Amino acid sequence: MSTAAATAAPFDPTALSDALPLPLYLQLARHLRTLIVEGRLTDQDALPGERELAETFGVSRVTVRKALRELIAEGLLHQRQGAGTFINRSPHVEQRLSTLTSFTEDIGGRGLKPDSRWLSRSAGTATPEEAMALGLRPGAEVVRLHRLRLADGTPLAIELSALPASFLPDPELVQGSLYETLRGRGHPPFRALQRLSAIRLPADQAALLGVPDGAPALYIERRTFLENGTPLEFVRSHYRGDAYDFVVELSLA
Ligand code: GLP
């Protein structure tokens, strides 16, 4: 039996398998590391106890202990005598500081002139996908900004941003940079999770971006959060594959 804390946490016992050529404790450490780094455990200060984790993942307590030891050594967790295992917030700082930038900042930083063309802006009820991404109740109000983003007049990306109306009550409030507007309203973007996949552009989007039908592009979904973890924006973007580089700094685990 796992406790409420263990059940509520996004633990996935299927992430561990005897068939994988990696010791179980390292598989468990990898799974917990992913949850911590992706911010999926940030609402909980403490991890469930060793016994509960062992039951949740169907492994021995020795395996749990070894996995926790790995993450403690990496600085992701710490233990307090008699109190339990806690998630360190400090290692997240680097992640949080790792260039969460706006389009305006990205393009301006390259010495190019950022610009936007409005495709539409509206207020309405969140779709189920938006409600889920933004952690809103069904029927909640959102504001949508649909923009063609340009650098020195060249279209680079199409972005559809949805934000809870509680943070941005009127789409007309955004004249230039969305992030500047949000900062000005006291809701600075603090952290984001981004997912990228390669696609081929459908005809309408290819036309907007000035590339042939079916041209390669990156589809990017970003969920941006406030410092307290509240979702602030859900963005679906199409970036021209031939005109935008994404640079990622990698370091040894
Ligand atoms: C980037 C991000 C978007 C974000 C946008 C804000 O393009 N991919 O998720 O909405 O920046 O840009 P700006 O502040 O220039 O409107």
Side-chain angles (χ1 to χ4, degrees):
M1 271 285 291
S2 49
T3 65
T7 312
F11 296 130
D12 178 10
T14 64
L16 275 60
S17 161
D18 285 326
L20 292 176
L22 190 66
L24 278 175
Y25 79 95
L26 289 179
Q27 293 182 38
L28 177 56
R30 180 172 65 181
H31 180 57
L32 294 175
R33 184 186 300 113
T34 303
L35 296 179
I36 294 168
V37 168
E38 288 183 352
R40 292 166 67 197
L41 287 177
T42 47
D43 289 339
Q44 300 169 294
D45 282 326
L47 284 183
E50 278 177 16
R51 186 173 54 79
E52 291 164 31
L53 283 173
E55 283 170 7
T56 302
F57 287 98
V59 296
S60 72
R61 289 180 67 167
V62 173
T63 298
V64 170
R65 209 167 298 147
K66 285 173 76 175
L68 296 182
R69 214 176 288 148
E70 287 289 312
L71 299 176
I72 290 167
E74 292 172 21
L76 288 174
L77 296 175
H78 68 276
Q79 281 176 330
R80 286 210 298 270
Q81 197 64 40
T85 307
F86 296 84
I87 295 162
N88 279 338
R89 298 193 181 277
S90 46
H92 291 290
V93 170
E94 226 176 71
Q95 181 97 355
R96 286 171 181 160
L97 291 179
S98 69
T99 51
L100 168 58
T101 49
S102 68
F103 185 87
T104 303
E105 291 160 342
D106 284 344
I107 299 306
R110 295 176 178 206
L112 305 172
K113 185 179 168 296
D115 211 351
S116 294
R117 214 174 78 208
W118 287 101
L119 301 174
S120 66
R121 40 183 151 180
S122 60
T125 306
T127 62
E129 187 188 15
E130 289 166 344
M132 185 172 296
L134 292 168
L136 297 173
R137 283 194 304 276
E141 289 289 307
V142 293
V143 154
R144 289 189 199 94
L145 314 172
H146 199 189
R147 297 180 290 174
L148 182 66
R149 313 298 312 255
L150 306 99
D152 274 357
T154 303
L156 283 195
I158 302 165
E159 295 194 315
L160 174 60
S161 311
L163 297 95
S166 51
F167 296 125
L168 188 72
D170 182 352
E172 302 286 336
L173 290 166
V174 181
Q175 292 304 323
S177 162
L178 168 64
Y179 281 11
E180 255 174 60
T181 307
L182 291 169
R183 287 183 201 118
R185 297 182 59 78
H187 307 305
F190 185 76
R191 186 177 73 83
L193 288 177
Q194 197 155 284
R195 177 189 296 269
L196 292 80
S197 47
I199 59 153
R200 288 191 179 280
L201 286 168
D204 53 340
Q205 294 184 340
L208 283 170
L209 290 170
V211 293
D213 283 13
L218 283 167
Y219 173 67
I220 304 179
E221 276 186 11
R222 180 187 283 193
R223 288 202 305 145
T224 312
F225 303 86
L226 295 172
E227 186 170 6
N228 68 8
T230 306
L232 176 65
E233 83 167 338
F234 173 49
V235 189
R236 286 155 284 182
S237 328
H238 293 85
Y239 278 75
R240 266 175 61 168
D242 62 341
Y244 213 95
D245 290 344
F246 288 89
V247 179
V248 183
E249 186 181 281
L250 305 174
S251 56
L252 284 175

